Amino acid sequence: MSRAPAAAETIRARTRLRLSAALLSGLGLLALTALALAVGKYPVAPADLASILGHRLLGLPVRAPATAETVVMQVRLPRVIAALVVGAALSAAGATYQGLFRNPLVSPDILGVSAGAGLGAVLGIYLGLPVAPIQVLAFLGGLGAVAAVYGVGLAVRRHDPVLTLVLAGVAVGAVLGAGISLLKVLADPYNQLPAITFWLLGSLSSVTLGDVAATLPMMLLGLVPLVLLRWRMNLMSLGDAEARALGVETRVLRPVLIASATLITAAAVAMTGVIGWIGLIVPHIARLLVGPDYRRLLPASLLLGAGYLVLVDLIARNLGTVEVPLGILTALVGAPFFLWLLASGRRGFS
Amino acid sequence: MAPRPGRRALAAALILLLAASGGAAARPFTDAAGRTVELPERVGRVLAAGPPAAVLLYTLAPDLMAGWVSAPHPEALPLLEPRTRALPAYGRLTGRGGTANVEAVLAAKPDLIVDSGSLGPTYASLADRVQAQTGIPYILLDGSFAKTPEAYRQLGAALGRQSAADALAAEAQSLADTVGRAVATVPEDKRPRVYYARGPRGLETGFTGSINTELVEAAGGRNVAQDGGGRLGNVSPEQVLAWNPDAIVTLDPAFAAGLSADPLWRNVRAVQSGRVYVAPLQPFPWFDAPPGVNRLIGLRWLAARLHPDLFPQPMPDVVRAFYSRFYHVDLDAGQAAALLGGTATGAPPGPAR
């Protein structure tokens, strides 16, 4: 008789705990965002920042210098928004792919997205195109690579579909990587080659409001199905036979999930270049914090990824005059933290 | 008895070989890296190991060139000496990412390989390796801008073109001296602060001490990118706004054209005052890429852009004289104007001929 109320009490307590955890992470993210807007290489006084934001949000009269307004609205704001969205998106895509392929070593570029997007961007730089077509080529390259991999997966029927996709992704990625190397060899070593190298390293340094506006709809288009289908991912991660036995149509669900995660990744890479490690490590950190249930894992990955990339970018643009490429910092900051969390081993891993 | 004629032939061949090697009397030559290389008495065909050496070699001895490192741009062809236009491209022979095919290099039968650039141990040992592998003498010259006259004299000695080389060295020296004397009159704090914009978004730059920005200081400017350890690197738009440079130099006309409409750039002082300078590119870029003797005319050009009052001589005349002397082509007035088009102070360039 006393067991049922006690269980209900436990559930309520857990719900409260989860709500407060979500609220706390939300507040933390907000504070981090505010800090990211306030700090940078161009000094903007806190009063000016408040005046600029007050003007934009509440229509108050602006009393800040024009350049400070440019810095906040045209440089920092798009950068912070892009960091939030790209961090969240790459982490969600990583979590999705890891469940989909039932493999903890999988990252968002498993199906050749980054290699395809990289080849598209490098081709654009090699041809001397302006930035916008370079980004379009990168986006199309990423989608094209995954379409090719998926086409191979459909054509090959004799093997395990998941294994086929992963192997096809490795092979297609290798071919595209060779294409990138070929263009690097052909490129002008004094002008194009450094540009290609810097592009491939990944950076948020030149994200504009236009980039954000063009990329955001695609990100949302990819994120919404992932969030809505997150409880089905639990079933997908059991394997095809079990998922089907539980009534999940894997032949429909898998392409939807792959398409969504690919769209996100291709859009992110087209805008920022290749930012490695986030999509691999953040889902694991989230898993160590909230467990393997995708109903919680996916939101946790989104929040952690967003905060993590804002933090890393904050470091990247304040460390020195030279911008440190993000891929380097995500590995330097993320991997040791991940190892520490792994060693402290508080939660089940899979 | 049977092997006798064979043996006699062998002996004759040996004697001939000795005579031949004696005839080509190798002479020792010490290059800028301090390596002593045996050079043939007469150098007939020369191959450049990298783009800066190709430009150096072209200016001194276009008739000796065995090939280009990379094929000239189609727009460069009318501005090159006719017989060099169709020379084959062999690729880079040195450094990381050398692309030349060694067999193709051997098939070209050069008497000498010339490289110009860094003299560090990496490049010296690479030169030794290429020389050991191909059996072709390989000399390394100092590629820094200040050592241009010396590089000319050394190359002249190696090629047996001493008087022509001395003349070019003297002209290079006088050009640098003229600019140096003129800009020395400008106090340090009156010199324009210059940002060198590279890459598709213009956010890649060369920091002070990098070979890519040597011209900025030589032309009487101050590089805003100070503390990057002399390398190329990426900077944020916020950093450019914080620097707020007086002038911007770029190689990319498309980038320059979009600046005044770009919310990130339009508030930069250089954009607002119209001091965005696009370096001409043909047949060899004036400012950088490669950082070779092609920068000589770029020095004069940038100095005149940064300090117009110090250099009253009309720029087209300077360009025509330089191209005739160093690049072996006589430009007409239209060609000189078209070259300067992106940076002319007056109207935009007329229809290209």
Side-chain angles (χ1 to χ4, degrees):
Chain A
M1 193 165 148
S2 65
R3 286 179 66 183
E9 187 58 38
T10 317
I11 290 172
R12 234 173 290 144
R14 256 190 220 160
T15 313
R16 233 177 293 141
L17 193 68
R18 258 171 228 161
L19 274 178
S20 49
L23 199 67
L24 223 67
S25 356
L27 282 177
L29 199 58
L30 208 64
L32 198 57
T33 306
L35 182 68
L37 279 177
V39 182
K41 283 282 152 191
Y42 190 94
V44 176
D48 287 345
L49 178 68
S51 161
I52 292 161
L53 292 180
H55 171 66
R56 292 290 169 143
L57 297 174
L58 309 169
L60 300 176
V62 67
R63 269 188 295 270
T67 309
E69 197 176 353
T70 304
V71 166
V72 173
M73 298 310 297
Q74 304 286 347
V75 180
R76 280 187 207 161
L77 191 68
R79 203 166 170 163
V80 172
I81 295 175
L84 286 167
V85 174
V86 168
L90 287 178
S91 307
T96 304
Y97 278 127
Q98 284 168 8
L100 213 50
F101 295 116
R102 304 195 301 280
N103 185 334
L105 295 178
V106 159
S107 64
D109 48 358
I110 181 73
L111 297 181
V113 188
S114 302
L119 182 59
V122 169
L123 187 66
I125 297 172
Y126 179 72
L127 296 175
L129 300 178
V131 176
I134 291 176
Q135 285 173 323
V136 171
L137 275 179
F139 183 64
L140 295 179
L143 293 188
V146 177
V149 169
Y150 203 78
V152 173
L154 287 181
V156 177
R157 294 226 163 259
R158 280 174 301 148
H159 307 289
D160 172 22
V162 168
L163 187 65
T164 307
L165 277 183
V166 171
L167 288 179
V170 170
V172 168
V175 171
L176 298 171
I180 293 177
S181 301
L182 177 66
L183 286 178
K184 280 175 137 179
V185 167
L186 295 175
D188 166 16
Y190 294 96
N191 209 17
Q192 290 173 333
L193 193 57
I196 289 172
T197 308
F198 287 125
W199 192 288
L200 288 178
L201 279 172
S203 162
L204 288 166
S205 83
S206 51
V207 171
T208 63
L209 275 180
D211 293 340
V212 172
T215 315
L216 212 51
M218 286 185 279
M219 296 274 191
L220 292 178
L221 198 64
L223 274 174
V224 168
L226 294 188
V227 172
L228 292 180
L229 293 169
R230 65 187 188 280
W231 65 273
R232 279 173 197 260
M233 282 185 218
N234 285 333
L235 306 179
M236 287 296 284
S237 60
L238 296 173
D240 272 24
E242 286 84 348
R244 246 177 258 153
L246 290 167
V248 173
E249 196 37 80
T250 54
R251 254 166 299 184
V252 180
L253 196 53
R254 181 177 296 118
V256 170
L257 291 177
I258 287 182
S260 304
T262 300
L263 191 65
I264 287 174
T265 313
V269 178
M271 176 164 68
T272 65
V274 183
I275 303 176
W277 280 87
I278 276 219
L280 177 63
I281 276 194
V282 169
H284 287 308
I285 295 175
R287 203 171 280 123
L288 288 165
L289 292 174
V290 303
D293 184 343
Y294 272 89
R295 283 172 299 176
R296 272 171 284 145
L297 177 58
L298 203 75
S301 295
L302 283 168
L303 276 176
L304 270 175
Y308 182 46
L309 194 53
V310 170
L311 179 68
V312 167
D313 186 52
L314 189 64
I315 298 172
R317 63 195 162 92
N318 287 293
L319 213 55
T321 315
V322 188
E323 292 252 327
V324 186
L326 287 179
I328 295 173
L329 283 178
T330 50
L332 281 181
V333 178
F337 178 63
F338 167 64
L339 290 176
W340 172 75
L341 213 54
L342 192 64
S344 68
R346 285 183 36 240
R347 287 253 181 191
F349 196 56
S350 55
Chain B
M1 278 298 134
R4 245 231 168 105
R7 201 177 291 168
R8 198 177 295 161
L10 197 70
L14 257 175
I15 290 163
L16 267 175
L17 201 71
L18 282 171
S21 64
R27 57 197 162 104
F29 176 86
T30 304
D31 75 3
R35 300 163 57 252
T36 299
V37 178
E38 299 282 316
L39 296 189
E41 194 58 46
R42 214 187 66 82
V43 173
R45 283 167 70 77
V46 186
L47 205 57
V55 183
L56 181 71
L57 180 61
Y58 172 82
T59 55
L60 178 59
D63 53 314
L64 299 185
M65 288 179 82
W68 291 102
V69 175
S70 54
H73 193 276
E75 282 176 37
L77 293 179
L79 304 174
L80 290 174
E81 217 218 11
R83 62 185 147 173
T84 64
R85 289 176 195 166
L87 286 176
Y90 285 95
R92 298 190 297 279
L93 245 177
T94 181
R96 275 168 59 212
T99 51
N101 179 322
V102 174
E103 289 187 30
V105 167
L106 288 173
K109 294 195 173 65
D111 302 316
L112 175 66
I113 298 170
V114 178
D115 195 9
S116 160
S118 161
L119 303 175
T122 309
Y123 290 92
S125 65
L126 278 167
D128 288 339
R129 289 174 69 111
V130 174
Q131 181 171 298
Q133 191 185 14
T134 58
I136 302 166
Y138 187 126
I139 60 169
L140 194 52
L141 303 173
D142 193 334
S144 66
F145 190 68
K147 294 291 173 64
T148 299
E150 238 172 283
Y152 270 122
R153 282 188 210 103
Q154 281 204 307
L155 183 61
L159 301 182
R161 296 268 172 104
Q162 198 69 69
S163 61
D166 288 346
L168 287 183
E171 279 186 52
Q173 189 69 60
S174 107
L175 197 152
D177 288 348
T178 309
V179 171
R181 264 196 305 273
V183 300
T185 62
V186 184
E188 187 66 25
D189 58 332
K190 289 275 162 54
R191 297 182 181 196
R193 297 166 60 258
V194 180
Y195 174 73
Y196 176 30
R198 291 172 57 114
R201 305 195 195 235
L203 291 173
E204 191 189 298
T205 196
F207 288 83
T208 40
S210 78
I211 193 167
N212 312 86
T213 56
E214 282 181 304
L215 284 199
V216 170
E217 284 91 5
R222 287 177 290 163
N223 189 353
V224 292
Q226 288 284 344
D227 49 352
R231 283 183 298 266
L232 287 177
N234 259 340
V235 295
S236 72
E238 201 173 317
Q239 180 68 71
V240 177
L241 285 168
W243 281 329
N244 202 15
D246 304 317
I248 292 174
V249 180
T250 177
L251 308 181
D252 186 347
F255 165 75
L259 287 182
S260 51
D262 190 328
L264 294 183
W265 291 88
R266 66 176 172 223
N267 287 332
V268 175
R269 189 177 298 140
V271 177
Q272 287 189 331
S273 57
R275 300 190 74 184
V276 178
Y277 306 130
V278 185
L281 298 176
Q282 305 303 346
F284 309 109
W286 286 15
F287 187 79
D288 182 17
V293 295
N294 44 310
R295 293 175 294 171
L296 280 167
I297 182 65
L299 171 68
R300 177 65 179 73
W301 163 78
L302 185 60
R305 287 283 173 255
L306 297 181
H307 307 283
D309 44 323
L310 296 180
F311 300 92
Q313 197 187 354
M315 204 53 210
D317 296 352
V318 178
V319 173
R320 291 172 74 179
F322 181 87
Y323 272 52
S324 161
R325 194 65 191 82
F326 283 81
Y327 293 163
H328 323 290
V329 284
D330 291 313
L331 304 183
D332 58 38
Q335 282 173 312
L339 265 176
L340 289 160
T343 60
T345 42
R353 290 176 0 102

